[in-house]
Amino acid sequence: AAERTLSIIKPDATRRNLTGKINAKFEEAGLRIVAQKRLQLTEAQAGAFYAVHKERPFYKDLVSFMISGPVVAQVLEGENAVAKNREVMGATNPANAAAGTIRKEFAESIEANSVHGSDSAENAATEIAFFFAGIEITG
Ligand code: CMP
């Protein structure tokens, strides 16, 4: 079914001017970018977005990394968008990512892994609402 997911192009990728190359991967996979904005997250915002990871050993570093430069938040739409986006991104750790995936081609490390994508349709709805008002999204 047609679905939406929340994607973030992370600071390691915006720093290296990779927004267009990453967007091309999404579009080639049949995902439509139906909302997009570039923003500098505050520490509080990044901490809130990743609150589910609060107890993880990498949480503090992750928040510092996510505020180290601008991110591009986007809503991707398409058939099975959550799963399709995860396929295009590749494994969290670029060392384990399949050939042709965004993380295999562009990620610098397990932390600076170029993109975030929602891991379920339910989380996608929450994450989309974190960044976008309904009026900002148009299929
Ligand atoms: P993301 O898909 O955005 O979800 C959590 C992020 O934490 C992950 O991508 C990485 O950027 C970062 N991270 C850093 N270390 C780890 C780790 N050991 N396991 C999972 N995620 C990690």
Side-chain angles (χ1 to χ4, degrees):
E3 201 174 64
R4 286 175 173 171
T5 192
L6 189 278
S7 163
I8 303 175
I9 300 179
K10 297 186 181 185
D12 67 288
T14 60
R15 188 184 314 119
R16 288 175 290 147
N17 213 19
L18 293 170
T19 300
K21 283 184 174 155
I22 290 171
N23 281 348
K25 293 271 197 197
F26 294 142
E27 293 185 340
E28 281 160 16
L31 292 164
R32 305 181 73 85
I33 302 163
V34 297
Q36 176 167 257
K37 58 185 164 195
R38 181 172 167 111
L39 60 158
Q40 172 65 53
L41 293 172
T42 65
E43 188 173 359
Q45 289 166 342
F49 182 79
Y50 279 119
V52 292
H53 295 308
K54 209 167 189 136
E55 305 307 324
R56 303 276 213 106
F58 57 79
Y59 177 75
K60 244 184 144 232
D61 277 355
L62 172 62
V63 171
S64 302
F65 163 63
M66 289 300 289
I67 66 172
S68 68
V71 300
V72 178
Q74 31 189 210
V75 179
L76 307 180
E77 185 179 87
E79 281 294 305
N80 300 311
V82 172
K84 190 170 279 181
N85 181 39
R86 295 182 72 74
E87 209 176 293
V88 176
M89 288 194 296
T92 303
N93 186 345
N96 303 327
T101 61
I102 291 168
R103 284 165 171 163
K104 181 65 177 187
E105 287 191 16
F106 303 126
E108 296 180 319
S109 66
I110 191 170
E111 175 181 85
N113 63 354
S114 302
V115 280
H116 165 83
S118 308
D119 63 4
S120 68
E122 193 187 351
N123 285 339
T126 307
E127 293 183 0
I128 288 169
F130 185 91
F131 282 103
F132 294 96
I135 199 170
E136 296 178 292
I137 308 171
T138 175

